[in-house]
Amino acid sequence: MEDFLLVFIIAIALSALLFLAARAAERFDLPRTVLDSAIQFAAGLIFGLVILSLMPDAIYNGPSAGVLLAFFGGGTLFVLYDYVTSKQQYVQSNDQDEIRTSKGFYLGVILDLIVDALVIGMGMAIGIRNGLILSIGIVLQMIPLVFVMIAKARVQQLSLNARRQLALAVPICVFAGIILGFTLLQNQPEVVLHILMAGASGFLITAVTQSMIPAAYSGRSKPSLAPFFFLIGLTLYAALKFTGS
């Protein structure tokens, strides 16, 4: 009971922190290069989460056929969703062909937050100390990602109501994910957890490579060092992973 109360408090604190990040994005305008760098940084952290945490565990401990099918299925789900929403979001501006950031970008961010929250909850279930170390690395990814999502929505002229819905969805998804991961997923058979991790990995890695990183490049007219922050994010997650091992 004490562990659940502690996890509940941590979930509330992280959710509130991310909501404040979303609200800050409504108040402050940052240069395009800063937003692109933040996207790259968050993408590097997500990439690290998949290749260093989620997939290795699924590959080495899960059923090979189930893991492969789940990974492919997760990626396919994102591709299909992004294709449908991109067609709906296609806009022709005065400068001819302009393609706005698809809804797949926002879906990818929200799903990443849910997966991250589930991982935090499962980490807390295994051990509070390990869960806290894991949450530090994941929160470093979450904050810039949430800020960029709302800032990107402003640039793309999403309605104020839609941005408010996104800002509200962030704390709800994170809180629910942490509690769910702590109370339910640790009681499931390991094979189910590994297949879920593989499916989430396929979705996230496809979202990063096909939506998030392209979003950081879209509209760029001159060379930029923003991709350097992808490497920083990946290296930082690796460092936190090794520290917590």
Side-chain angles (χ1 to χ4, degrees), residues 17-52:
L17 183 63
L18 295 175
F19 181 75
L20 291 176
R23 296 303 300 162
E26 288 284 358
R27 287 178 168 268
F28 300 102
D29 293 319
L30 295 179
R32 172 64 187 272
T33 54
V34 174
L35 293 178
D36 289 346
S37 298
I39 292 176
Q40 293 278 9
F41 177 74
L45 286 168
I46 297 172
F47 201 80
L49 172 68
V50 171
I51 66 173
L52 297 177

Tab-separated table of all heavy atoms in Angstrom, residues 17-52:
chain	number	residue	atom	x	y	z
A	17	LEU	N	3.996	18.252	-13.941
A	17	LEU	CA	5.178	18.834	-14.570
A	17	LEU	C	5.000	18.922	-16.087
A	17	LEU	O	5.336	19.941	-16.708
A	17	LEU	CB	6.407	17.988	-14.220
A	17	LEU	CG	7.765	18.486	-14.736
A	17	LEU	CD1	8.103	19.831	-14.118
A	17	LEU	CD2	8.858	17.471	-14.420
A	18	LEU	N	4.466	17.882	-16.680
A	18	LEU	CA	4.269	17.865	-18.125
A	18	LEU	C	3.153	18.819	-18.551
A	18	LEU	O	3.216	19.419	-19.620
A	18	LEU	CB	3.960	16.447	-18.595
A	18	LEU	CG	5.107	15.447	-18.402
A	18	LEU	CD1	4.668	14.044	-18.781
A	18	LEU	CD2	6.324	15.853	-19.213
A	19	PHE	N	2.138	18.967	-17.713
A	19	PHE	CA	1.075	19.928	-18.015
A	19	PHE	C	1.639	21.348	-18.009
A	19	PHE	O	1.283	22.172	-18.865
A	19	PHE	CB	-0.067	19.806	-17.004
A	19	PHE	CG	-1.201	20.760	-17.266
A	19	PHE	CD1	-2.094	20.525	-18.296
A	19	PHE	CD2	-1.362	21.893	-16.490
A	19	PHE	CE1	-3.140	21.409	-18.552
A	19	PHE	CE2	-2.401	22.775	-16.734
A	19	PHE	CZ	-3.293	22.538	-17.761
A	20	LEU	N	2.536	21.630	-17.064
A	20	LEU	CA	3.181	22.946	-17.017
A	20	LEU	C	4.034	23.170	-18.265
A	20	LEU	O	4.101	24.294	-18.786
A	20	LEU	CB	4.036	23.069	-15.754
A	20	LEU	CG	3.266	23.145	-14.434
A	20	LEU	CD1	4.248	23.166	-13.254
A	20	LEU	CD2	2.372	24.379	-14.398
A	21	ALA	N	4.683	22.106	-18.761
A	21	ALA	CA	5.480	22.225	-19.986
A	21	ALA	C	4.579	22.569	-21.172
A	21	ALA	O	4.936	23.390	-22.026
A	21	ALA	CB	6.233	20.923	-20.254
A	22	ALA	N	3.395	21.946	-21.208
A	22	ALA	CA	2.447	22.235	-22.281
A	22	ALA	C	1.949	23.675	-22.189
A	22	ALA	O	1.811	24.367	-23.211
A	22	ALA	CB	1.268	21.259	-22.215
A	23	ARG	N	1.685	24.149	-20.989
A	23	ARG	CA	1.220	25.522	-20.820
A	23	ARG	C	2.326	26.521	-21.166
A	23	ARG	O	2.068	27.581	-21.732
A	23	ARG	CB	0.750	25.742	-19.381
A	23	ARG	CG	-0.446	24.912	-18.974
A	23	ARG	CD	-1.634	25.155	-19.882
A	23	ARG	NE	-2.045	26.558	-19.859
A	23	ARG	CZ	-2.799	27.134	-20.779
A	23	ARG	NH1	-3.210	26.435	-21.828
A	23	ARG	NH2	-3.125	28.403	-20.671
A	24	ALA	N	3.564	26.179	-20.825
A	24	ALA	CA	4.690	27.067	-21.144
A	24	ALA	C	4.847	27.221	-22.643
A	24	ALA	O	5.205	28.302	-23.140
A	24	ALA	CB	5.978	26.520	-20.522
A	25	ALA	N	4.561	26.157	-23.394
A	25	ALA	CA	4.676	26.220	-24.848
A	25	ALA	C	3.661	27.180	-25.441
A	25	ALA	O	3.866	27.707	-26.540
A	25	ALA	CB	4.489	24.823	-25.440
A	26	GLU	N	2.561	27.430	-24.739
A	26	GLU	CA	1.562	28.381	-25.209
A	26	GLU	C	1.999	29.827	-24.961
A	26	GLU	O	1.550	30.746	-25.630
A	26	GLU	CB	0.216	28.137	-24.517
A	26	GLU	CG	-0.512	26.891	-24.970
A	26	GLU	CD	-1.170	27.058	-26.328
A	26	GLU	OE1	-1.087	28.162	-26.913
A	26	GLU	OE2	-1.767	26.086	-26.813
A	27	ARG	N	2.883	30.008	-24.010
A	27	ARG	CA	3.273	31.367	-23.607
A	27	ARG	C	4.543	31.857	-24.277
A	27	ARG	O	4.723	33.058	-24.470
A	27	ARG	CB	3.471	31.424	-22.081
A	27	ARG	CG	2.168	31.377	-21.302
A	27	ARG	CD	2.448	31.394	-19.804
A	27	ARG	NE	1.226	31.645	-19.046
A	27	ARG	CZ	0.792	32.837	-18.672
A	27	ARG	NH1	1.465	33.913	-19.026
A	27	ARG	NH2	-0.322	32.970	-17.972
A	28	PHE	N	5.435	30.943	-24.596
A	28	PHE	CA	6.755	31.349	-25.079
A	28	PHE	C	6.957	30.915	-26.530
A	28	PHE	O	6.652	29.779	-26.897
A	28	PHE	CB	7.864	30.749	-24.209
A	28	PHE	CG	7.779	31.160	-22.764
A	28	PHE	CD1	7.267	30.293	-21.816
A	28	PHE	CD2	8.193	32.421	-22.369
A	28	PHE	CE1	7.180	30.650	-20.490
A	28	PHE	CE2	8.115	32.799	-21.037
A	28	PHE	CZ	7.596	31.917	-20.101
A	29	ASP	N	7.474	31.819	-27.323
A	29	ASP	CA	7.819	31.528	-28.711
A	29	ASP	C	9.317	31.273	-28.813
A	29	ASP	O	10.125	32.120	-28.402
A	29	ASP	CB	7.435	32.701	-29.621
A	29	ASP	CG	5.935	32.886	-29.710
A	29	ASP	OD1	5.217	31.879	-29.799
A	29	ASP	OD2	5.482	34.052	-29.674
A	30	LEU	N	9.669	30.110	-29.344
A	30	LEU	CA	11.079	29.763	-29.500
A	30	LEU	C	11.448	29.732	-30.975
A	30	LEU	O	10.609	29.424	-31.830
A	30	LEU	CB	11.356	28.385	-28.872
A	30	LEU	CG	11.176	28.289	-27.361
A	30	LEU	CD1	11.450	26.868	-26.896
A	30	LEU	CD2	12.097	29.272	-26.629
A	31	PRO	N	12.705	30.028	-31.300
A	31	PRO	CA	13.146	29.970	-32.701
A	31	PRO	C	12.978	28.569	-33.275
A	31	PRO	O	13.014	27.569	-32.556
A	31	PRO	CB	14.637	30.347	-32.612
A	31	PRO	CG	14.776	31.084	-31.331
A	31	PRO	CD	13.772	30.478	-30.393
A	32	ARG	N	12.804	28.522	-34.578
A	32	ARG	CA	12.614	27.244	-35.264
A	32	ARG	C	13.767	26.294	-34.993
A	32	ARG	O	13.565	25.085	-34.809
A	32	ARG	CB	12.477	27.501	-36.766
A	32	ARG	CG	12.472	26.245	-37.641
A	32	ARG	CD	11.264	25.357	-37.355
A	32	ARG	NE	11.366	24.100	-38.062
A	32	ARG	CZ	10.935	23.898	-39.301
A	32	ARG	NH1	10.385	24.899	-39.973
A	32	ARG	NH2	11.048	22.719	-39.873
A	33	THR	N	14.978	26.797	-34.938
A	33	THR	CA	16.135	25.921	-34.719
A	33	THR	C	16.078	25.252	-33.347
A	33	THR	O	16.494	24.099	-33.196
A	33	THR	CB	17.446	26.717	-34.840
A	33	THR	OG1	17.392	27.855	-33.959
A	33	THR	CG2	17.656	27.197	-36.266
A	34	VAL	N	15.550	25.970	-32.358
A	34	VAL	CA	15.441	25.407	-31.013
A	34	VAL	C	14.399	24.289	-31.002
A	34	VAL	O	14.617	23.217	-30.410
A	34	VAL	CB	15.070	26.493	-29.987
A	34	VAL	CG1	14.824	25.871	-28.609
A	34	VAL	CG2	16.173	27.535	-29.904
A	35	LEU	N	13.272	24.521	-31.659
A	35	LEU	CA	12.235	23.497	-31.728
A	35	LEU	C	12.735	22.251	-32.462
A	35	LEU	O	12.502	21.122	-32.024
A	35	LEU	CB	10.994	24.049	-32.430
A	35	LEU	CG	10.229	25.152	-31.695
A	35	LEU	CD1	9.050	25.626	-32.533
A	35	LEU	CD2	9.754	24.674	-30.333
A	36	ASP	N	13.437	22.466	-33.579
A	36	ASP	CA	13.980	21.334	-34.330
A	36	ASP	C	14.988	20.546	-33.487
A	36	ASP	O	15.008	19.316	-33.507
A	36	ASP	CB	14.655	21.823	-35.612
A	36	ASP	CG	13.649	22.331	-36.639
A	36	ASP	OD1	12.449	22.063	-36.459
A	36	ASP	OD2	14.071	22.996	-37.605
A	37	SER	N	15.806	21.268	-32.751
A	37	SER	CA	16.793	20.609	-31.892
A	37	SER	C	16.107	19.813	-30.793
A	37	SER	O	16.543	18.702	-30.445
A	37	SER	CB	17.731	21.652	-31.276
A	37	SER	OG	18.457	22.336	-32.279
A	38	ALA	N	15.017	20.351	-30.243
A	38	ALA	CA	14.293	19.652	-29.193
A	38	ALA	C	13.636	18.387	-29.735
A	38	ALA	O	13.608	17.352	-29.055
A	38	ALA	CB	13.239	20.580	-28.580
A	39	ILE	N	13.112	18.464	-30.952
A	39	ILE	CA	12.529	17.265	-31.571
A	39	ILE	C	13.604	16.198	-31.752
A	39	ILE	O	13.396	15.017	-31.446
A	39	ILE	CB	11.890	17.609	-32.933
A	39	ILE	CG1	10.661	18.491	-32.744
A	39	ILE	CG2	11.487	16.328	-33.672
A	39	ILE	CD1	10.033	18.943	-34.051
A	40	GLN	N	14.766	16.609	-32.252
A	40	GLN	CA	15.862	15.664	-32.462
A	40	GLN	C	16.317	15.051	-31.128
A	40	GLN	O	16.596	13.846	-31.043
A	40	GLN	CB	17.039	16.372	-33.147
A	40	GLN	CG	16.760	16.828	-34.564
A	40	GLN	CD	16.915	15.709	-35.575
A	40	GLN	OE1	17.078	14.546	-35.223
A	40	GLN	NE2	16.883	16.049	-36.854
A	41	PHE	N	16.396	15.878	-30.098
A	41	PHE	CA	16.813	15.401	-28.779
A	41	PHE	C	15.827	14.359	-28.252
A	41	PHE	O	16.221	13.279	-27.790
A	41	PHE	CB	16.904	16.584	-27.819
A	41	PHE	CG	17.260	16.205	-26.406
A	41	PHE	CD1	18.560	15.837	-26.078
A	41	PHE	CD2	16.309	16.237	-25.404
A	41	PHE	CE1	18.892	15.489	-24.771
A	41	PHE	CE2	16.624	15.891	-24.101
A	41	PHE	CZ	17.922	15.519	-23.785
A	42	ALA	N	14.526	14.672	-28.333
A	42	ALA	CA	13.504	13.740	-27.870
A	42	ALA	C	13.517	12.467	-28.713
A	42	ALA	O	13.355	11.353	-28.186
A	42	ALA	CB	12.132	14.399	-27.924
A	43	ALA	N	13.721	12.609	-30.033
A	43	ALA	CA	13.780	11.443	-30.911
A	43	ALA	C	14.938	10.528	-30.533
A	43	ALA	O	14.810	9.297	-30.551
A	43	ALA	CB	13.905	11.881	-32.372
A	44	GLY	N	16.076	11.112	-30.180
A	44	GLY	CA	17.224	10.316	-29.750
A	44	GLY	C	16.936	9.545	-28.475
A	44	GLY	O	17.319	8.373	-28.340
A	45	LEU	N	16.229	10.181	-27.535
A	45	LEU	CA	15.871	9.508	-26.293
A	45	LEU	C	14.893	8.362	-26.545
A	45	LEU	O	15.022	7.279	-25.963
A	45	LEU	CB	15.256	10.514	-25.317
A	45	LEU	CG	16.238	11.501	-24.652
A	45	LEU	CD1	15.475	12.613	-23.961
A	45	LEU	CD2	17.137	10.774	-23.656
A	46	ILE	N	13.906	8.596	-27.426
A	46	ILE	CA	12.946	7.538	-27.753
A	46	ILE	C	13.658	6.376	-28.439
A	46	ILE	O	13.410	5.202	-28.142
A	46	ILE	CB	11.826	8.081	-28.657
A	46	ILE	CG1	11.022	9.153	-27.930
A	46	ILE	CG2	10.897	6.945	-29.106
A	46	ILE	CD1	10.018	9.872	-28.815
A	47	PHE	N	14.552	6.712	-29.382
A	47	PHE	CA	15.331	5.688	-30.083
A	47	PHE	C	16.124	4.855	-29.075
A	47	PHE	O	16.178	3.617	-29.176
A	47	PHE	CB	16.272	6.357	-31.076
A	47	PHE	CG	16.741	5.456	-32.174
A	47	PHE	CD1	15.929	5.187	-33.267
A	47	PHE	CD2	18.005	4.872	-32.126
A	47	PHE	CE1	16.359	4.348	-34.285
A	47	PHE	CE2	18.448	4.039	-33.133
A	47	PHE	CZ	17.629	3.772	-34.211
A	48	GLY	N	16.731	5.528	-28.094
A	48	GLY	CA	17.480	4.823	-27.061
A	48	GLY	C	16.587	3.926	-26.225
A	48	GLY	O	16.966	2.798	-25.882
A	49	LEU	N	15.395	4.412	-25.890
A	49	LEU	CA	14.451	3.612	-25.116
A	49	LEU	C	14.110	2.314	-25.842
A	49	LEU	O	14.065	1.236	-25.233
A	49	LEU	CB	13.173	4.425	-24.867
A	49	LEU	CG	12.000	3.679	-24.225
A	49	LEU	CD1	12.319	3.311	-22.788
A	49	LEU	CD2	10.727	4.513	-24.288
A	50	VAL	N	13.906	2.416	-27.164
A	50	VAL	CA	13.524	1.237	-27.944
A	50	VAL	C	14.682	0.261	-28.082
A	50	VAL	O	14.543	-0.943	-27.797
A	50	VAL	CB	13.002	1.645	-29.337
A	50	VAL	CG1	12.826	0.409	-30.234
A	50	VAL	CG2	11.689	2.400	-29.215
A	51	ILE	N	15.842	0.758	-28.524
A	51	ILE	CA	16.937	-0.157	-28.863
A	51	ILE	C	17.735	-0.633	-27.642
A	51	ILE	O	18.421	-1.660	-27.722
A	51	ILE	CB	17.907	0.475	-29.890
A	51	ILE	CG1	18.654	1.673	-29.290
A	51	ILE	CG2	17.163	0.879	-31.147
A	51	ILE	CD1	19.741	2.220	-30.184
A	52	LEU	N	17.634	0.083	-26.532
A	52	LEU	CA	18.415	-0.300	-25.351
A	52	LEU	C	17.572	-0.899	-24.229
A	52	LEU	O	18.127	-1.576	-23.361
A	52	LEU	CB	19.188	0.906	-24.807
A	52	LEU	CG	20.239	1.498	-25.740
A	52	LEU	CD1	20.873	2.740	-25.105
A	52	LEU	CD2	21.321	0.473	-26.064
